[in-house]
């Protein structure tokens, strides 16, 4: 199916539904094919599992302004990383269970403190470079620079700590693309939750490098502990089903 780019921008969510039933969408501009919307690699994943579909122009990456237009025209959830748009479907039960348990601990620990934990969906706008603005929705963020929240509740700062729970269709994005993004944007601590292996990886990021990493596994460790926030720890038995 060939669709003009303006029509796709205005009805992106509708065309994603066509993609979900294996209908390939060719996006045209001025009569030329400029982009293709494809089904994510894991075609057997159901909509109950978090998935990712990409929208990337062959003539160049999607700009931040184009991303905002697409978001405005759709009820879907999206992330923008290095000029590529990812559509976020509903997460699975195990994913949300882990998020709930970790956030519950974070909420109680940070209560009445300067920093505040928030859960997705909440846009984090990161400036990887002057011409590379990225927008992500981490599962949990800890924000200490609340002065970077504007009157409309939009945040354009750098969270101190970010948590992502891996899903089968997002492992590569969370383990590679997001680790690189967070490393380059000044985030200090990245928790990567792996329900498949009952593991929590804690990465300490400094000066665009991985300064240290610690793996906490259920059975071998009782708690996963933060480095940036001394005393903050999460019981592994509570996180994994």
């Amino acid at each position: 199916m060939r669709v003009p780019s303006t029509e796709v921008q205005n009805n992106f969510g509708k065309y994603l539904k066509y993609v979900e039933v294996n209908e390939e969408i060719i996006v045209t501009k001025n009569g030329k094919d400029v982009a293709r919307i494809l089904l994510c690699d894991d075609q057997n994943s159901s909509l109950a599992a978090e998935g990712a579909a990409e929208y990337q122009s062959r003539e160049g990456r999607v700009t931040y302004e184009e991303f905002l237009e697409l978001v405005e025209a759709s009820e879907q959830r999206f992330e923008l990383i290095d000029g590529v748009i990812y559509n976020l479907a509903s997460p699975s039960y195990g994913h949300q269970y882990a998020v709930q348990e970790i956030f519950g601990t974070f909420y109680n620990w940070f209560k009445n403190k300067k920093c505040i934990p928030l859960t997705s969906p909440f846009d984090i706008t990161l400036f990887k470079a002057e011409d590379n603005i990225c927008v992500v929705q981490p599962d949990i963020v800890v924000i200490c620079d609340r002065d970077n929240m504007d009157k409309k509740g939009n945040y354009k700062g750098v969270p101190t700590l970010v948590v992502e729970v891996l899903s089968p269709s997002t492992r590569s994005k969370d383990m590679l693309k997001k680790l690189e993004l967070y490393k380059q944007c000044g985030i200090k601590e990245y928790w990567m939750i792996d329900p498949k292996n009952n593991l929590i990886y804690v990465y300490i990021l400094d000066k665009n490098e991985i300064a240290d990493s610690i793996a906490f596994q259920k059975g071998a460790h009782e708690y996963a502990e933060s480095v940036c926030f001394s005393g903050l720890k999460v019981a592994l038995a509570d996180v994994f089903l």
Side-chain angles (χ1 to χ4, degrees):
M1 178 186 299
R2 281 179 164 75
V3 184
S5 60
T6 53
E7 171 66 15
V8 173
Q9 289 174 7
N10 292 332
N11 298 282
F12 194 57
K14 178 177 74 175
Y15 292 106
L16 283 177
K17 292 186 181 298
Y18 291 152
V19 173
E20 291 167 0
V21 293
N22 294 317
E23 178 70 37
E24 187 181 60
I25 305 296
I26 306 296
V27 183
T28 64
K29 187 174 183 179
N30 298 326
K32 295 182 179 180
D33 294 350
V34 296
R36 180 178 295 149
I37 306 176
L38 301 173
L39 189 66
C40 62
D41 292 337
D42 184 7
Q43 297 186 14
N44 295 317
S45 64
S46 70
L47 293 180
E50 189 178 57
E54 299 184 5
Y55 177 91
Q56 181 178 356
S57 169
R58 290 179 180 173
E59 295 183 345
R61 295 182 179 275
V62 176
T63 67
Y64 175 64
E65 291 73 23
E66 289 170 333
F67 170 77
L68 294 180
E69 289 179 9
L70 291 173
V71 170
E72 188 71 24
S74 175
E75 295 181 358
Q76 302 282 338
R77 292 171 54 217
F78 303 105
E79 291 184 319
L80 176 67
I81 303 176
D82 295 333
V84 178
I85 290 179
Y86 296 87
N87 171 249
L88 304 177
S90 299
S92 66
Y93 171 73
H95 179 285
Q96 288 303 90
Y97 183 90
V99 171
Q100 173 183 274
E101 290 299 321
I102 296 170
F103 180 74
T105 299
F106 278 28
Y107 175 82
N108 289 327
W109 195 86
F110 283 103
K111 197 167 185 178
N112 299 321
K113 292 183 172 69
K114 173 188 174 183
C115 304
I116 181 172
L118 297 172
T119 59
S120 180
F122 182 71
D123 283 346
I124 304 297
T125 302
L126 298 171
F127 295 82
K128 191 173 181 181
E130 186 177 345
D131 60 347
N132 187 0
I133 302 175
C134 300
V135 182
V136 291
Q137 291 189 4
D139 291 309
I140 301 172
V141 294
V142 176
I143 293 173
C144 299
D145 56 342
R146 285 195 255 181
D147 54 330
N148 284 316
M149 200 93 64
D150 65 24
K151 293 181 179 180
K152 294 182 178 180
N154 299 314
Y155 175 70
K156 294 183 180 180
V158 179
T160 301
L161 188 154
V162 170
V163 178
E164 299 280 10
V165 179
L166 304 181
S167 296
S169 59
T170 65
R171 290 182 71 89
S172 178
K173 181 181 66 168
D174 291 342
M175 295 180 73
L176 300 175
K177 293 180 184 294
K178 284 194 170 180
L179 175 57
E180 183 66 20
L181 174 65
Y182 297 153
K183 184 177 68 173
Q184 292 192 27
C185 291
I187 289 167
K188 295 181 179 179
E189 187 167 331
Y190 178 29
W191 286 35
M192 194 184 297
I193 316 302
D194 186 356
K196 180 181 179 181
N197 297 303
N198 293 336
L199 272 166
I200 295 181
Y201 299 94
V202 175
Y203 291 90
I204 307 307
L205 311 176
D206 183 45
K207 298 178 181 177
N208 298 334
E209 297 293 340
I210 299 174
D212 198 4
S213 64
I214 311 167
F216 300 95
Q217 184 162 33
K218 182 181 178 181
H221 301 87
E222 187 175 357
Y223 296 98
E225 300 185 44
S226 171
V227 173
C228 289
F229 299 101
S230 179
L232 174 62
K233 57 184 181 179
V234 173
L236 294 167
D238 294 337
V239 173
F240 303 113
L241 294 171

